[in-house]
Amino acid sequence: MEEGERSPLLPQETAGQKPLSVHSPPTAGCLDPVPWEDQADAWGCSCCPPETKRQPLRGTPGKGPAPSLSIGSSCVKYLIFFSNFLFSLLGLLALAIGLWGLAVKGSLGSDLGGPLPADPMLGLALGGLVVSAVSLAGCLGALCENTCLLHGFSGGILAFLVLEALAGALVVALWGPLQDSLEHTLHVAIAHYQDDADLRFLLDQVQLGLKCCGAASYQDWQQNL
């Protein structure tokens, strides 16, 4: 096309003008910068729908601010935190009582390297240690939103549930032999009532709690001289 000819696709009044460029730098005569949205409206931008032109920019994943939790999620988070905090305190209390009982009775450090003593306080201390560890994992995991601690807490709760289910199934399946074994254990405990302070305390608490005397009747105490 020669210089003197005009394109038939352009209007007559715009054929001799230079086309506007979207990316052209601002001229020196422009005193105040024009916002980008106003420029886009003036130029008639058709790359996006009109209702999305003035929407605010959102943060991209990993770069923008983290989304805040909803009210329900926050309630669940703090409920898990406070409940596990309470159980962790109870577990630490049981651990402290168990260690204190073992220290008073001299069971700790009596036989280093030997078998663990068959003491009820040892079971209380171990139970308190396990409960406090699992509860602290759930407490800190919920507060800090740590997935590793929450997975450990979930695994501990699942293990507790499995053990409870197995214990319940064994009690139902072996109810007759367990009842006979419990009666024999009570007779042995009555016979050795004065030999161990812990055994005496446990037997007294069982009889006071169940409001009974002896394994079958009060005459069982005749076995103890």
Side-chain angles (χ1 to χ4, degrees):
M1 180 181 294
E2 298 180 1
E3 294 182 358
E5 298 180 359
R6 295 181 178 180
S7 174
L9 300 178
L10 296 176
Q12 297 295 327
E13 62 271 7
T14 60
Q17 298 179 1
K18 294 182 180 180
L20 294 177
S21 175
V22 175
H23 301 287
S24 61
T27 60
C30 183
L31 299 178
D32 296 329
V34 181
W36 183 86
E37 293 85 353
D38 296 340
Q39 293 180 5
D41 293 340
W43 296 336
C45 178
S46 60
C47 59
C48 55
E51 61 271 7
T52 60
K53 286 182 180 180
R54 298 181 180 271
Q55 287 183 356
L57 297 177
R58 297 179 181 179
T60 56
K63 296 182 180 180
S68 59
L69 295 176
S70 62
I71 299 178
S73 300
S74 300
C75 292
V76 172
K77 171 183 174 180
Y78 288 107
L79 179 62
I80 294 175
F81 169 73
F82 285 115
S83 60
N84 284 283
F85 181 72
L86 178 61
F87 278 103
S88 62
L89 289 181
L90 294 177
L92 291 175
L93 179 62
L95 175 61
I97 293 175
L99 292 177
W100 174 77
L102 292 175
V104 168
K105 295 171 57 178
S107 299
L108 289 177
S110 57
D111 296 327
L112 295 177
L116 292 176
D119 199 320
M121 290 297 177
L122 179 62
L124 182 63
L126 292 178
L129 178 62
V130 173
V131 171
S132 60
V134 174
S135 300
L136 283 176
C139 180
L140 295 178
L143 182 63
C144 303
E145 298 180 7
N146 191 313
T147 56
C148 183
L149 291 176
L150 289 176
H151 286 164
F153 169 71
S154 302
I157 296 298
L158 182 61
F160 286 155
L161 293 177
V162 170
L163 290 177
E164 289 180 0
L166 289 177
L170 288 176
V171 167
V172 172
L174 304 175
W175 176 248
L178 284 177
Q179 193 173 8
D180 296 338
S181 177
L182 180 60
E183 186 176 356
H184 174 71
T185 303
L186 287 176
H187 283 290
V188 173
I190 289 173
H192 298 84
Y193 179 78
Q194 298 291 341
D195 298 341
D196 191 356
D198 291 331
L199 179 61
R200 183 166 61 249
F201 174 76
L202 289 176
L203 193 55
D204 290 343
Q205 293 301 315
V206 167
Q207 292 185 123
L208 289 173
L210 299 178
K211 297 181 179 180
C212 63
C213 185
S217 65
Y218 68 96
Q219 297 181 356
D220 295 332
W221 282 98
Q222 296 179 359
Q223 302 174 12
N224 192 312
L225 300 179

